Amino acid sequence: MQEVYDLILADLDEAIANLPEARVGKYRINKNVAHGILAEVYQELAMADNSLWQKAIDNAQAARDGHALMSNAGYAGGFNNLSNGEWIWGFPVPDDQTLSYYSQFSYMDPSGGYYRNIALNTSFADKFTATDARKAQMVYYGTVPGYPALVYQTNKYRTRVAGAITGDIVVMRAAEMYLIEAEALAQQNKITESIDVLFAIQGLRDPSAVKLPGTTSKDDLINAILLERRKELYGEIGAYYFDLKRYQRALVRDGNHPYPLTIPADDARWLFQLPISEIDANLNIGPADQNP
């Protein structure tokens, strides 16, 4: 595993040294994108080596350089257009090239999607205040007979063209980099600095938000940052899943989820099984090496 991470770091360092800042479009990986990926890698590695948090900060700052946080009006725009200046990386899709049934818009757009079957858990929706601009993107149905999971859906991802399923594929944005920086500062016990970076998002999205006091404990601050990652990045990059893995926390399904459960952090269900074809083809592993 160490050899794999060493290769990842070497590749990204080489990319940053040789990639340009300018590019013809956001589908091209430039220095900003490489810095963003490297910030994510150090966010993982720093869980075992506290000295690496500063590298997470440095790369997160470099990644978001030139990409200001989107306004609340931009947040309400449907997450379908790379012209929004916050997006660091993504893939443009012309309006005449529908994404059809397999896109995020198909699953999440409650009115224009094909499947439109992704709902929000009530326990998650309740974490937003009424004045939070992100709460305004939630569609409330109340109780729908026969559909216990369908209390909230979200307008976060919406098709760009009515009657078709289309929109740019958006991948990386500045808000994630702010939150990586806030977490890294908190892990370094730089509490006040971390709170300031965190509030750049909290205060923007919710005009009623109150900045955490400087006396906030490190653990409470990290919990607040992880919650803000859930709230700001839901539906985007699997932030909640990776945060549970990084901090070795249980997955809890509650609220109106039709299948409530708790999966402890050490449960074997967190592990994917190896493909049988890989076991058959790889001379270094056999059936006894299969994950449980």
Side-chain angles (χ1 to χ4, degrees):
M1 184 183 294
Q2 185 63 56
E3 291 176 355
V4 172
Y5 273 113
D6 287 344
L7 179 59
I8 290 171
L9 293 174
D11 282 350
L12 288 169
D13 286 339
E14 182 180 0
I16 290 169
N18 291 282
L19 283 168
E21 295 180 2
R23 53 184 169 172
V24 297
K26 292 183 180 179
Y27 63 91
R28 290 289 184 94
I29 295 178
N30 68 345
K31 285 185 186 294
N32 294 75
V33 177
H35 276 297
I37 298 172
L38 192 52
E40 294 169 335
V41 173
Y42 279 125
Q43 184 187 29
E44 169 69 27
L45 294 179
M47 299 300 296
D49 182 353
N50 196 64
S51 68
L52 298 178
W53 283 115
Q54 187 58 49
K55 292 189 175 183
I57 292 172
D58 295 340
N59 282 281
Q61 290 177 338
R64 72 166 189 260
D65 184 41
H67 297 274
L69 291 171
M70 67 178 73
S71 66
N72 290 335
Y75 195 96
F79 276 56
N80 55 29
N81 199 321
L82 276 174
S83 66
N84 184 315
E86 184 179 338
W87 292 108
I88 300 170
W89 186 25
F91 305 95
V93 179
D95 287 341
D96 63 351
Q97 296 182 19
T98 176
L99 294 171
S100 190
Y101 56 85
Y102 54 82
S103 69
Q104 278 178 292
F105 307 108
S106 176
Y107 284 94
M108 295 187 74
D109 187 336
S111 58
Y114 181 87
Y115 290 113
R116 51 178 183 261
N117 58 358
I118 290 182
L120 300 183
N121 198 320
T122 54
S123 64
F124 176 62
D126 290 345
K127 296 182 185 300
F128 296 80
T129 67
T131 55
D132 194 313
R134 297 165 296 195
K135 186 65 175 281
Q137 297 309 304
M138 297 181 188
V139 181
Y140 178 69
Y141 297 97
T143 301
V144 180
Y147 296 91
L150 190 59
V151 176
Y152 285 100
Q153 285 188 300
T154 177
N155 278 319
K156 185 173 183 177
Y157 283 88
R158 295 196 310 280
T159 182
R160 193 167 58 209
V161 178
I165 301 176
T166 189
D168 295 338
I169 300 171
V170 288
V171 180
M172 179 188 290
R173 64 187 178 102
E176 180 195 358
M177 299 302 133
Y178 274 87
L179 291 162
I180 289 175
E181 181 181 354
E183 180 185 348
L185 288 167
Q187 287 285 3
Q188 292 179 324
N189 287 302
K190 297 178 180 179
I191 303 300
T192 301
E193 295 175 51
S194 174
I195 290 171
D196 288 342
V197 175
L198 175 62
F199 195 72
I201 293 177
Q202 290 176 319
L204 174 62
R205 297 287 172 244
D206 185 355
S208 299
V210 177
K211 183 184 287 190
L212 293 171
T215 56
T216 302
S217 70
K218 175 182 175 179
D219 288 344
D220 286 346
L221 177 54
I222 289 174
N223 286 335
I225 293 166
L226 296 182
L227 174 59
E228 199 63 30
R229 280 172 58 82
R230 284 190 70 190
K231 293 165 70 175
E232 179 69 12
L233 302 173
Y234 76 86
E236 297 183 46
I237 58 171
Y240 186 45
Y241 170 84
F242 289 111
D243 289 348
L244 291 178
K245 291 286 289 180
R246 288 190 303 118
Y247 283 89
Q248 287 294 285
R249 298 185 179 186
L251 171 65
V252 179
R253 286 179 173 173
D254 53 9
N256 70 315
H257 200 290
Y259 303 102
L261 55 78
T262 297
I263 301 180
D266 59 354
D267 194 289
R269 284 174 288 180
W270 284 102
L271 300 176
F272 290 102
Q273 289 201 313
L274 300 172
I276 295 299
S277 59
E278 175 66 18
I279 294 176
D280 290 342
N282 192 329
L283 298 179
N284 296 306
I285 58 176
D289 298 303
Q290 180 62 279
N291 290 326

